[in-house]
Amino acid sequence: MGFARRDWENQDFAQVVHEAVKEHARTPFREEVWQQLAEGMRFIPGDFDDDTAFKQLREAVQELDAARGTSGNYAFYLSVPPKFFPKVVQQLKKHGLADAPEGSWRRAVIEKPFGHDLASARELNAIVHEVFEPDQVFRIDHYLGKETVQNILALRFANQMFEPIWNRSYVDHVQITMAEDIGIGGRAGYYDGIGAARDVIQNHLLQLMALTAMEEPAAFDAASLLTEKLKVFRAVRLPEDLGRHTVRGQYAAAWQGGTKVRGYLEEDGIDPASTTDTYAAIKLAIDNRRWAGVPFYLRTGKRLGRRVTEIAVVFQRAPHSPFDTTATEELGENAIVIRVQPDEGMTVRFGSKVPGTSMEIRDVSMDFAYGESFTESSPEAYERLILDVLLGDANLFPRHQEVEESWRILDPVEEYWATHGRPAQYASGSWGPGEADEMLARDGRSWRRP
């Protein structure tokens, strides 16, 4: 069932869905299955403040519910800008769509951004929770639906070999990177004024950090996962000197992939004086027994060297080496790298002797790739998450407390940036501004090249 301002009939909506399913389905498209599905598709044109349209929506939903035998269970996917959330949820309540009869359920799915700071996130949560109970609201973050993200917990807690070294005694630092090789495309209206930190660090990267750093949950259920993730968020400490330990940047015009691309300030619809960040890097600490003294470096950016998301747990060097320095001059630090996208899997980097008569040790990698180890194809992240909504399984959805804690962490950084200078410029196709390299160099470290 679709509801939007477009002046479509049921068959127009069904045709759009048909083309999308046919193009993107992971399994062979079967026309007879499609026909059964299409019989249950309806479209209601209308504005969000149009009472007549919402009345039609209620009647159509009730008619479909009776015809398809869905037992009064409705999930509402609010793919609308946040400014319309209050109106939409109030209209759902006003027209009796949000209240479930005994034995049935109602659920609301909300897309990011979940506010633009702590105050707006709290306001948004309050508005939504006036209509839907907290356990009926599913905030969808597609990163948490990716197989590799879920595998962080399996890797850590289903195996004995990793957990004993997953702490400050062995880990030197952790780097979490989400890089994109594209610009803002046609999203100027959405992106300008939000920027990379709000768009990615506040949700995706802080969630990845929580899964990497959290203690073992009592069970793999939503309440247990929430308890442990909140402990991490509440233990996060920002550096005292935000000028030295945070960096923001904007991509500049350059050649990328054999094409001359425009800088952010030259993009259509962008104010030439904009201070919106297209690159952000921050250093965080987690004040608890496991992670005291271990820095977590988070970075994200557009128009970087390539599209990649990864978590790198970088280990300390051996406290003593019996080999002379020439034998180990090409030996780096051991690392476990979890690749979230595009090549889902994991790499373990360690030192090994180079074949030959001399003792020379060099880095080698052991690799696990989902596509090679399993014959089953992974479901798309949204595919998995939407199924979880229908099943009522909230394990992979951030709760409102997590959203608010994430903003509590990021707000001071955004406030500092708003009153201190402008974003550094970096060439499109590079790995970000030089200031980001200097930030790690001051700590005696360097960014991994994914």
Side-chain angles (χ1 to χ4, degrees), residues 3 46-58 76 78 84-99 127 130-132:
F3 183 102
D47 286 317
F48 297 139
D49 52 4
D50 183 345
D51 285 334
T52 306
F54 271 88
K55 188 179 173 196
Q56 289 176 315
L57 177 66
R58 186 186 69 211
F76 301 100
L78 305 187
F84 294 120
F85 284 166
K87 173 56 75 176
V88 173
V89 296
Q90 284 156 11
Q91 285 282 54
L92 292 174
K93 186 170 182 65
K94 178 179 175 182
H95 293 277
L97 285 160
D99 301 316
I127 288 165
E130 277 179 15
V131 177
F132 294 99

PDB file of all heavy atoms in Angstrom, residues 3 46-58 76 78 84-99 127 130-132:
ATOM      1  N   PHE A   3       1.276   5.568  -0.230  1.00  0.00           N
ATOM      2  CA  PHE A   3       0.573   6.840   0.001  1.00  0.00           C
ATOM      3  C   PHE A   3       1.565   7.952  -0.310  1.00  0.00           C
ATOM      4  O   PHE A   3       2.640   8.022   0.297  1.00  0.00           O
ATOM      5  CB  PHE A   3       0.114   6.930   1.462  1.00  0.00           C
ATOM      6  CG  PHE A   3      -0.678   8.186   1.784  1.00  0.00           C
ATOM      7  CD1 PHE A   3      -2.052   8.152   1.886  1.00  0.00           C
ATOM      8  CD2 PHE A   3      -0.034   9.408   1.986  1.00  0.00           C
ATOM      9  CE1 PHE A   3      -2.789   9.301   2.185  1.00  0.00           C
ATOM     10  CE2 PHE A   3      -0.752  10.564   2.278  1.00  0.00           C
ATOM     11  CZ  PHE A   3      -2.132  10.506   2.379  1.00  0.00           C
ATOM     12  N   GLY A  46      -2.475  11.657  -2.063  1.00  0.00           N
ATOM     13  CA  GLY A  46      -2.937  12.662  -1.097  1.00  0.00           C
ATOM     14  C   GLY A  46      -1.787  13.339  -0.375  1.00  0.00           C
ATOM     15  O   GLY A  46      -0.651  12.862  -0.391  1.00  0.00           O
ATOM     16  N   ASP A  47      -2.095  14.487   0.241  1.00  0.00           N
ATOM     17  CA  ASP A  47      -1.116  15.209   1.065  1.00  0.00           C
ATOM     18  C   ASP A  47      -1.220  14.711   2.499  1.00  0.00           C
ATOM     19  O   ASP A  47      -2.221  14.107   2.894  1.00  0.00           O
ATOM     20  CB  ASP A  47      -1.391  16.716   1.023  1.00  0.00           C
ATOM     21  CG  ASP A  47      -0.974  17.329  -0.303  1.00  0.00           C
ATOM     22  OD1 ASP A  47       0.112  16.969  -0.789  1.00  0.00           O
ATOM     23  OD2 ASP A  47      -1.739  18.151  -0.847  1.00  0.00           O
ATOM     24  N   PHE A  48      -0.194  15.031   3.290  1.00  0.00           N
ATOM     25  CA  PHE A  48      -0.170  14.546   4.675  1.00  0.00           C
ATOM     26  C   PHE A  48      -1.227  15.217   5.557  1.00  0.00           C
ATOM     27  O   PHE A  48      -1.591  14.685   6.600  1.00  0.00           O
ATOM     28  CB  PHE A  48       1.221  14.742   5.280  1.00  0.00           C
ATOM     29  CG  PHE A  48       2.289  13.946   4.569  1.00  0.00           C
ATOM     30  CD1 PHE A  48       3.533  14.493   4.312  1.00  0.00           C
ATOM     31  CD2 PHE A  48       2.043  12.642   4.149  1.00  0.00           C
ATOM     32  CE1 PHE A  48       4.508  13.762   3.654  1.00  0.00           C
ATOM     33  CE2 PHE A  48       3.010  11.905   3.487  1.00  0.00           C
ATOM     34  CZ  PHE A  48       4.256  12.469   3.239  1.00  0.00           C
ATOM     35  N   ASP A  49      -1.728  16.386   5.126  1.00  0.00           N
ATOM     36  CA  ASP A  49      -2.769  17.034   5.935  1.00  0.00           C
ATOM     37  C   ASP A  49      -4.164  16.854   5.315  1.00  0.00           C
ATOM     38  O   ASP A  49      -5.116  17.540   5.683  1.00  0.00           O
ATOM     39  CB  ASP A  49      -2.457  18.526   6.133  1.00  0.00           C
ATOM     40  CG  ASP A  49      -2.182  19.240   4.821  1.00  0.00           C
ATOM     41  OD1 ASP A  49      -2.310  18.588   3.762  1.00  0.00           O
ATOM     42  OD2 ASP A  49      -1.831  20.438   4.863  1.00  0.00           O
ATOM     43  N   ASP A  50      -4.275  15.906   4.396  1.00  0.00           N
ATOM     44  CA  ASP A  50      -5.537  15.663   3.683  1.00  0.00           C
ATOM     45  C   ASP A  50      -6.332  14.578   4.428  1.00  0.00           C
ATOM     46  O   ASP A  50      -6.069  13.382   4.290  1.00  0.00           O
ATOM     47  CB  ASP A  50      -5.203  15.224   2.252  1.00  0.00           C
ATOM     48  CG  ASP A  50      -6.452  15.020   1.393  1.00  0.00           C
ATOM     49  OD1 ASP A  50      -7.554  14.944   1.963  1.00  0.00           O
ATOM     50  OD2 ASP A  50      -6.300  14.916   0.161  1.00  0.00           O
ATOM     51  N   ASP A  51      -7.332  15.003   5.209  1.00  0.00           N
ATOM     52  CA  ASP A  51      -8.128  14.056   5.994  1.00  0.00           C
ATOM     53  C   ASP A  51      -8.880  13.060   5.111  1.00  0.00           C
ATOM     54  O   ASP A  51      -9.019  11.886   5.468  1.00  0.00           O
ATOM     55  CB  ASP A  51      -9.129  14.810   6.886  1.00  0.00           C
ATOM     56  CG  ASP A  51      -8.450  15.453   8.085  1.00  0.00           C
ATOM     57  OD1 ASP A  51      -7.387  14.937   8.494  1.00  0.00           O
ATOM     58  OD2 ASP A  51      -8.953  16.460   8.591  1.00  0.00           O
ATOM     59  N   THR A  52      -9.352  13.537   3.967  1.00  0.00           N
ATOM     60  CA  THR A  52     -10.097  12.644   3.067  1.00  0.00           C
ATOM     61  C   THR A  52      -9.203  11.514   2.572  1.00  0.00           C
ATOM     62  O   THR A  52      -9.608  10.346   2.517  1.00  0.00           O
ATOM     63  CB  THR A  52     -10.641  13.441   1.857  1.00  0.00           C
ATOM     64  OG1 THR A  52     -11.383  14.555   2.351  1.00  0.00           O
ATOM     65  CG2 THR A  52     -11.512  12.568   0.976  1.00  0.00           C
ATOM     66  N   ALA A  53      -7.936  11.856   2.244  1.00  0.00           N
ATOM     67  CA  ALA A  53      -7.001  10.836   1.748  1.00  0.00           C
ATOM     68  C   ALA A  53      -6.694   9.817   2.850  1.00  0.00           C
ATOM     69  O   ALA A  53      -6.615   8.609   2.580  1.00  0.00           O
ATOM     70  CB  ALA A  53      -5.716  11.494   1.258  1.00  0.00           C
ATOM     71  N   PHE A  54      -6.539  10.280   4.090  1.00  0.00           N
ATOM     72  CA  PHE A  54      -6.253   9.343   5.183  1.00  0.00           C
ATOM     73  C   PHE A  54      -7.469   8.463   5.487  1.00  0.00           C
ATOM     74  O   PHE A  54      -7.318   7.304   5.881  1.00  0.00           O
ATOM     75  CB  PHE A  54      -5.795  10.096   6.440  1.00  0.00           C
ATOM     76  CG  PHE A  54      -4.309  10.304   6.478  1.00  0.00           C
ATOM     77  CD1 PHE A  54      -3.734  11.426   5.892  1.00  0.00           C
ATOM     78  CD2 PHE A  54      -3.470   9.377   7.078  1.00  0.00           C
ATOM     79  CE1 PHE A  54      -2.360  11.616   5.908  1.00  0.00           C
ATOM     80  CE2 PHE A  54      -2.096   9.561   7.102  1.00  0.00           C
ATOM     81  CZ  PHE A  54      -1.535  10.680   6.514  1.00  0.00           C
ATOM     82  N   LYS A  55      -8.670   9.020   5.267  1.00  0.00           N
ATOM     83  CA  LYS A  55      -9.874   8.216   5.440  1.00  0.00           C
ATOM     84  C   LYS A  55      -9.905   7.106   4.373  1.00  0.00           C
ATOM     85  O   LYS A  55     -10.228   5.949   4.656  1.00  0.00           O
ATOM     86  CB  LYS A  55     -11.116   9.113   5.317  1.00  0.00           C
ATOM     87  CG  LYS A  55     -12.416   8.398   5.671  1.00  0.00           C
ATOM     88  CD  LYS A  55     -13.599   9.349   5.540  1.00  0.00           C
ATOM     89  CE  LYS A  55     -14.900   8.571   5.739  1.00  0.00           C
ATOM     90  NZ  LYS A  55     -16.071   9.313   5.266  1.00  0.00           N
ATOM     91  N   GLN A  56      -9.535   7.488   3.132  1.00  0.00           N
ATOM     92  CA  GLN A  56      -9.452   6.493   2.049  1.00  0.00           C
ATOM     93  C   GLN A  56      -8.392   5.443   2.374  1.00  0.00           C
ATOM     94  O   GLN A  56      -8.576   4.253   2.101  1.00  0.00           O
ATOM     95  CB  GLN A  56      -9.095   7.178   0.724  1.00  0.00           C
ATOM     96  CG  GLN A  56     -10.204   8.034   0.132  1.00  0.00           C
ATOM     97  CD  GLN A  56      -9.711   8.742  -1.130  1.00  0.00           C
ATOM     98  OE1 GLN A  56      -8.611   9.288  -1.165  1.00  0.00           O
ATOM     99  NE2 GLN A  56     -10.523   8.730  -2.172  1.00  0.00           N
ATOM    100  N   LEU A  57      -7.274   5.905   2.948  1.00  0.00           N
ATOM    101  CA  LEU A  57      -6.195   4.982   3.328  1.00  0.00           C
ATOM    102  C   LEU A  57      -6.719   3.959   4.333  1.00  0.00           C
ATOM    103  O   LEU A  57      -6.477   2.756   4.188  1.00  0.00           O
ATOM    104  CB  LEU A  57      -5.012   5.772   3.908  1.00  0.00           C
ATOM    105  CG  LEU A  57      -3.832   4.944   4.422  1.00  0.00           C
ATOM    106  CD1 LEU A  57      -3.139   4.217   3.274  1.00  0.00           C
ATOM    107  CD2 LEU A  57      -2.824   5.827   5.152  1.00  0.00           C
ATOM    108  N   ARG A  58      -7.430   4.442   5.352  1.00  0.00           N
ATOM    109  CA  ARG A  58      -7.960   3.527   6.372  1.00  0.00           C
ATOM    110  C   ARG A  58      -8.913   2.509   5.746  1.00  0.00           C
ATOM    111  O   ARG A  58      -8.827   1.311   6.027  1.00  0.00           O
ATOM    112  CB  ARG A  58      -8.683   4.313   7.463  1.00  0.00           C
ATOM    113  CG  ARG A  58      -9.126   3.420   8.641  1.00  0.00           C
ATOM    114  CD  ARG A  58      -9.960   4.187   9.632  1.00  0.00           C
ATOM    115  NE  ARG A  58     -11.251   4.537   9.061  1.00  0.00           N
ATOM    116  CZ  ARG A  58     -11.951   5.625   9.364  1.00  0.00           C
ATOM    117  NH1 ARG A  58     -11.484   6.486  10.255  1.00  0.00           N
ATOM    118  NH2 ARG A  58     -13.104   5.874   8.800  1.00  0.00           N
ATOM    119  N   PHE A  76       3.882   0.613   9.259  1.00  0.00           N
ATOM    120  CA  PHE A  76       3.937   1.868   8.496  1.00  0.00           C
ATOM    121  C   PHE A  76       5.391   2.261   8.288  1.00  0.00           C
ATOM    122  O   PHE A  76       6.124   2.454   9.252  1.00  0.00           O
ATOM    123  CB  PHE A  76       3.206   2.986   9.249  1.00  0.00           C
ATOM    124  CG  PHE A  76       1.762   2.685   9.523  1.00  0.00           C
ATOM    125  CD1 PHE A  76       1.360   2.224  10.772  1.00  0.00           C
ATOM    126  CD2 PHE A  76       0.807   2.843   8.532  1.00  0.00           C
ATOM    127  CE1 PHE A  76       0.036   1.924  11.030  1.00  0.00           C
ATOM    128  CE2 PHE A  76      -0.522   2.541   8.781  1.00  0.00           C
ATOM    129  CZ  PHE A  76      -0.918   2.087  10.033  1.00  0.00           C
ATOM    130  N   LEU A  78       7.699   5.086   7.229  1.00  0.00           N
ATOM    131  CA  LEU A  78       7.630   6.536   7.029  1.00  0.00           C
ATOM    132  C   LEU A  78       8.849   7.007   6.242  1.00  0.00           C
ATOM    133  O   LEU A  78       9.839   7.475   6.809  1.00  0.00           O
ATOM    134  CB  LEU A  78       7.561   7.264   8.373  1.00  0.00           C
ATOM    135  CG  LEU A  78       6.439   6.831   9.326  1.00  0.00           C
ATOM    136  CD1 LEU A  78       6.389   7.739  10.546  1.00  0.00           C
ATOM    137  CD2 LEU A  78       5.092   6.826   8.638  1.00  0.00           C
ATOM    138  N   PHE A  84       7.964  16.150   8.519  1.00  0.00           N
ATOM    139  CA  PHE A  84       6.593  15.681   8.340  1.00  0.00           C
ATOM    140  C   PHE A  84       6.197  14.587   9.336  1.00  0.00           C
ATOM    141  O   PHE A  84       5.043  14.167   9.363  1.00  0.00           O
ATOM    142  CB  PHE A  84       6.382  15.163   6.910  1.00  0.00           C
ATOM    143  CG  PHE A  84       6.477  16.224   5.849  1.00  0.00           C
ATOM    144  CD1 PHE A  84       7.433  16.141   4.846  1.00  0.00           C
ATOM    145  CD2 PHE A  84       5.622  17.312   5.860  1.00  0.00           C
ATOM    146  CE1 PHE A  84       7.522  17.126   3.874  1.00  0.00           C
ATOM    147  CE2 PHE A  84       5.695  18.298   4.887  1.00  0.00           C
ATOM    148  CZ  PHE A  84       6.664  18.204   3.893  1.00  0.00           C
ATOM    149  N   PHE A  85       7.163  14.083  10.130  1.00  0.00           N
ATOM    150  CA  PHE A  85       6.841  13.018  11.090  1.00  0.00           C
ATOM    151  C   PHE A  85       5.665  13.375  11.997  1.00  0.00           C
ATOM    152  O   PHE A  85       4.732  12.580  12.154  1.00  0.00           O
ATOM    153  CB  PHE A  85       8.056  12.674  11.956  1.00  0.00           C
ATOM    154  CG  PHE A  85       9.104  11.837  11.266  1.00  0.00           C
ATOM    155  CD1 PHE A  85      10.367  11.685  11.818  1.00  0.00           C
ATOM    156  CD2 PHE A  85       8.840  11.189  10.074  1.00  0.00           C
ATOM    157  CE1 PHE A  85      11.341  10.924  11.184  1.00  0.00           C
ATOM    158  CE2 PHE A  85       9.811  10.425   9.430  1.00  0.00           C
ATOM    159  CZ  PHE A  85      11.063  10.300   9.996  1.00  0.00           C
ATOM    160  N   PRO A  86       5.677  14.578  12.629  1.00  0.00           N
ATOM    161  CA  PRO A  86       4.575  14.894  13.556  1.00  0.00           C
ATOM    162  C   PRO A  86       3.217  14.797  12.876  1.00  0.00           C
ATOM    163  O   PRO A  86       2.294  14.169  13.399  1.00  0.00           O
ATOM    164  CB  PRO A  86       4.874  16.327  13.997  1.00  0.00           C
ATOM    165  CG  PRO A  86       6.339  16.507  13.764  1.00  0.00           C
ATOM    166  CD  PRO A  86       6.685  15.663  12.577  1.00  0.00           C
ATOM    167  N   LYS A  87       3.110  15.396  11.674  1.00  0.00           N
ATOM    168  CA  LYS A  87       1.825  15.413  10.971  1.00  0.00           C
ATOM    169  C   LYS A  87       1.394  13.993  10.604  1.00  0.00           C
ATOM    170  O   LYS A  87       0.241  13.604  10.797  1.00  0.00           O
ATOM    171  CB  LYS A  87       1.940  16.294   9.715  1.00  0.00           C
ATOM    172  CG  LYS A  87       0.729  16.263   8.802  1.00  0.00           C
ATOM    173  CD  LYS A  87      -0.566  16.643   9.502  1.00  0.00           C
ATOM    174  CE  LYS A  87      -0.694  18.116   9.756  1.00  0.00           C
ATOM    175  NZ  LYS A  87      -2.008  18.460  10.348  1.00  0.00           N
ATOM    176  N   VAL A  88       2.334  13.192  10.088  1.00  0.00           N
ATOM    177  CA  VAL A  88       1.973  11.838   9.628  1.00  0.00           C
ATOM    178  C   VAL A  88       1.528  10.961  10.795  1.00  0.00           C
ATOM    179  O   VAL A  88       0.480  10.299  10.733  1.00  0.00           O
ATOM    180  CB  VAL A  88       3.149  11.189   8.869  1.00  0.00           C
ATOM    181  CG1 VAL A  88       2.834   9.724   8.553  1.00  0.00           C
ATOM    182  CG2 VAL A  88       3.433  11.937   7.569  1.00  0.00           C
ATOM    183  N   VAL A  89       2.290  10.956  11.897  1.00  0.00           N
ATOM    184  CA  VAL A  89       1.910  10.074  13.007  1.00  0.00           C
ATOM    185  C   VAL A  89       0.609  10.549  13.661  1.00  0.00           C
ATOM    186  O   VAL A  89      -0.214   9.727  14.089  1.00  0.00           O
ATOM    187  CB  VAL A  89       3.039   9.914  14.065  1.00  0.00           C
ATOM    188  CG1 VAL A  89       4.256   9.235  13.464  1.00  0.00           C
ATOM    189  CG2 VAL A  89       3.412  11.216  14.730  1.00  0.00           C
ATOM    190  N   GLN A  90       0.395  11.869  13.686  1.00  0.00           N
ATOM    191  CA  GLN A  90      -0.863  12.374  14.257  1.00  0.00           C
ATOM    192  C   GLN A  90      -2.051  12.003  13.381  1.00  0.00           C
ATOM    193  O   GLN A  90      -3.130  11.667  13.881  1.00  0.00           O
ATOM    194  CB  GLN A  90      -0.770  13.893  14.460  1.00  0.00           C
ATOM    195  CG  GLN A  90       0.073  14.279  15.681  1.00  0.00           C
ATOM    196  CD  GLN A  90       0.650  15.681  15.589  1.00  0.00           C
ATOM    197  OE1 GLN A  90       0.280  16.463  14.713  1.00  0.00           O
ATOM    198  NE2 GLN A  90       1.564  16.005  16.494  1.00  0.00           N
ATOM    199  N   GLN A  91      -1.847  12.039  12.060  1.00  0.00           N
ATOM    200  CA  GLN A  91      -2.920  11.643  11.137  1.00  0.00           C
ATOM    201  C   GLN A  91      -3.225  10.142  11.271  1.00  0.00           C
ATOM    202  O   GLN A  91      -4.386   9.731  11.225  1.00  0.00           O
ATOM    203  CB  GLN A  91      -2.525  11.966   9.689  1.00  0.00           C
ATOM    204  CG  GLN A  91      -2.593  13.451   9.342  1.00  0.00           C
ATOM    205  CD  GLN A  91      -4.008  13.920   9.081  1.00  0.00           C
ATOM    206  OE1 GLN A  91      -4.899  13.730   9.909  1.00  0.00           O
ATOM    207  NE2 GLN A  91      -4.243  14.542   7.936  1.00  0.00           N
ATOM    208  N   LEU A  92      -2.178   9.336  11.443  1.00  0.00           N
ATOM    209  CA  LEU A  92      -2.402   7.893  11.627  1.00  0.00           C
ATOM    210  C   LEU A  92      -3.225   7.646  12.884  1.00  0.00           C
ATOM    211  O   LEU A  92      -4.127   6.804  12.901  1.00  0.00           O
ATOM    212  CB  LEU A  92      -1.063   7.153  11.717  1.00  0.00           C
ATOM    213  CG  LEU A  92      -0.226   7.104  10.425  1.00  0.00           C
ATOM    214  CD1 LEU A  92       1.132   6.464  10.693  1.00  0.00           C
ATOM    215  CD2 LEU A  92      -0.963   6.337   9.321  1.00  0.00           C
ATOM    216  N   LYS A  93      -2.925   8.405  13.936  1.00  0.00           N
ATOM    217  CA  LYS A  93      -3.674   8.246  15.188  1.00  0.00           C
ATOM    218  C   LYS A  93      -5.110   8.749  15.035  1.00  0.00           C
ATOM    219  O   LYS A  93      -6.070   8.085  15.429  1.00  0.00           O
ATOM    220  CB  LYS A  93      -2.974   8.990  16.323  1.00  0.00           C
ATOM    221  CG  LYS A  93      -3.628   8.752  17.688  1.00  0.00           C
ATOM    222  CD  LYS A  93      -2.779   9.291  18.814  1.00  0.00           C
ATOM    223  CE  LYS A  93      -3.417   9.013  20.163  1.00  0.00           C
ATOM    224  NZ  LYS A  93      -3.487   7.557  20.462  1.00  0.00           N
ATOM    225  N   LYS A  94      -5.233   9.918  14.436  1.00  0.00           N
ATOM    226  CA  LYS A  94      -6.552  10.551  14.277  1.00  0.00           C
ATOM    227  C   LYS A  94      -7.517   9.652  13.509  1.00  0.00           C
ATOM    228  O   LYS A  94      -8.718   9.604  13.816  1.00  0.00           O
ATOM    229  CB  LYS A  94      -6.369  11.890  13.541  1.00  0.00           C
ATOM    230  CG  LYS A  94      -7.654  12.639  13.253  1.00  0.00           C
ATOM    231  CD  LYS A  94      -7.344  13.956  12.557  1.00  0.00           C
ATOM    232  CE  LYS A  94      -8.608  14.685  12.141  1.00  0.00           C
ATOM    233  NZ  LYS A  94      -8.287  15.946  11.431  1.00  0.00           N
ATOM    234  N   HIS A  95      -7.008   8.926  12.532  1.00  0.00           N
ATOM    235  CA  HIS A  95      -7.875   8.109  11.676  1.00  0.00           C
ATOM    236  C   HIS A  95      -7.895   6.645  12.109  1.00  0.00           C
ATOM    237  O   HIS A  95      -8.302   5.774  11.337  1.00  0.00           O
ATOM    238  CB  HIS A  95      -7.458   8.265  10.211  1.00  0.00           C
ATOM    239  CG  HIS A  95      -7.714   9.653   9.687  1.00  0.00           C
ATOM    240  ND1 HIS A  95      -8.948  10.054   9.228  1.00  0.00           N
ATOM    241  CD2 HIS A  95      -6.923  10.748   9.614  1.00  0.00           C
ATOM    242  CE1 HIS A  95      -8.897  11.332   8.862  1.00  0.00           C
ATOM    243  NE2 HIS A  95      -7.673  11.773   9.083  1.00  0.00           N
ATOM    244  N   GLY A  96      -7.432   6.385  13.323  1.00  0.00           N
ATOM    245  CA  GLY A  96      -7.576   5.053  13.909  1.00  0.00           C
ATOM    246  C   GLY A  96      -6.651   3.990  13.329  1.00  0.00           C
ATOM    247  O   GLY A  96      -6.883   2.795  13.520  1.00  0.00           O
ATOM    248  N   LEU A  97      -5.604   4.436  12.631  1.00  0.00           N
ATOM    249  CA  LEU A  97      -4.705   3.460  12.015  1.00  0.00           C
ATOM    250  C   LEU A  97      -3.599   3.006  12.962  1.00  0.00           C
ATOM    251  O   LEU A  97      -2.992   1.955  12.761  1.00  0.00           O
ATOM    252  CB  LEU A  97      -4.077   4.058  10.749  1.00  0.00           C
ATOM    253  CG  LEU A  97      -5.019   4.138   9.540  1.00  0.00           C
ATOM    254  CD1 LEU A  97      -4.516   5.151   8.525  1.00  0.00           C
ATOM    255  CD2 LEU A  97      -5.169   2.774   8.896  1.00  0.00           C
ATOM    256  N   ALA A  98      -3.312   3.813  13.994  1.00  0.00           N
ATOM    257  CA  ALA A  98      -2.181   3.508  14.884  1.00  0.00           C
ATOM    258  C   ALA A  98      -2.574   2.603  16.050  1.00  0.00           C
ATOM    259  O   ALA A  98      -1.695   2.078  16.735  1.00  0.00           O
ATOM    260  CB  ALA A  98      -1.577   4.809  15.413  1.00  0.00           C
ATOM    261  N   ASP A  99      -3.877   2.437  16.289  1.00  0.00           N
ATOM    262  CA  ASP A  99      -4.323   1.649  17.452  1.00  0.00           C
ATOM    263  C   ASP A  99      -4.670   0.232  17.017  1.00  0.00           C
ATOM    264  O   ASP A  99      -5.554   0.023  16.189  1.00  0.00           O
ATOM    265  CB  ASP A  99      -5.554   2.324  18.089  1.00  0.00           C
ATOM    266  CG  ASP A  99      -5.233   3.742  18.530  1.00  0.00           C
ATOM    267  OD1 ASP A  99      -4.160   3.935  19.132  1.00  0.00           O
ATOM    268  OD2 ASP A  99      -6.042   4.654  18.249  1.00  0.00           O
ATOM    269  N   ILE A 127       7.424  13.096  20.022  1.00  0.00           N
ATOM    270  CA  ILE A 127       6.290  13.167  19.084  1.00  0.00           C
ATOM    271  C   ILE A 127       5.870  11.774  18.627  1.00  0.00           C
ATOM    272  O   ILE A 127       4.687  11.417  18.638  1.00  0.00           O
ATOM    273  CB  ILE A 127       6.683  14.033  17.862  1.00  0.00           C
ATOM    274  CG1 ILE A 127       6.752  15.512  18.272  1.00  0.00           C
ATOM    275  CG2 ILE A 127       5.705  13.841  16.716  1.00  0.00           C
ATOM    276  CD1 ILE A 127       7.462  16.395  17.269  1.00  0.00           C
ATOM    277  N   GLU A 130       4.224   9.650  21.360  1.00  0.00           N
ATOM    278  CA  GLU A 130       2.848  10.019  21.719  1.00  0.00           C
ATOM    279  C   GLU A 130       1.849   9.086  21.040  1.00  0.00           C
ATOM    280  O   GLU A 130       0.755   8.867  21.536  1.00  0.00           O
ATOM    281  CB  GLU A 130       2.555  11.463  21.256  1.00  0.00           C
ATOM    282  CG  GLU A 130       3.032  12.536  22.213  1.00  0.00           C
ATOM    283  CD  GLU A 130       2.722  13.928  21.661  1.00  0.00           C
ATOM    284  OE1 GLU A 130       1.912  14.027  20.710  1.00  0.00           O
ATOM    285  OE2 GLU A 130       3.298  14.896  22.166  1.00  0.00           O
ATOM    286  N   VAL A 131       2.255   8.553  19.877  1.00  0.00           N
ATOM    287  CA  VAL A 131       1.353   7.730  19.078  1.00  0.00           C
ATOM    288  C   VAL A 131       1.734   6.251  19.144  1.00  0.00           C
ATOM    289  O   VAL A 131       0.882   5.379  19.293  1.00  0.00           O
ATOM    290  CB  VAL A 131       1.353   8.218  17.607  1.00  0.00           C
ATOM    291  CG1 VAL A 131       0.470   7.330  16.737  1.00  0.00           C
ATOM    292  CG2 VAL A 131       0.880   9.671  17.540  1.00  0.00           C
ATOM    293  N   PHE A 132       3.039   5.973  19.045  1.00  0.00           N
ATOM    294  CA  PHE A 132       3.516   4.589  19.067  1.00  0.00           C
ATOM    295  C   PHE A 132       4.378   4.352  20.305  1.00  0.00           C
ATOM    296  O   PHE A 132       5.210   5.196  20.651  1.00  0.00           O
ATOM    297  CB  PHE A 132       4.350   4.282  17.813  1.00  0.00           C
ATOM    298  CG  PHE A 132       3.569   4.326  16.533  1.00  0.00           C
ATOM    299  CD1 PHE A 132       3.606   5.450  15.724  1.00  0.00           C
ATOM    300  CD2 PHE A 132       2.803   3.245  16.135  1.00  0.00           C
ATOM    301  CE1 PHE A 132       2.886   5.503  14.537  1.00  0.00           C
ATOM    302  CE2 PHE A 132       2.081   3.284  14.951  1.00  0.00           C
ATOM    303  CZ  PHE A 132       2.112   4.414  14.153  1.00  0.00           C
TER     304      PHE A 132
END
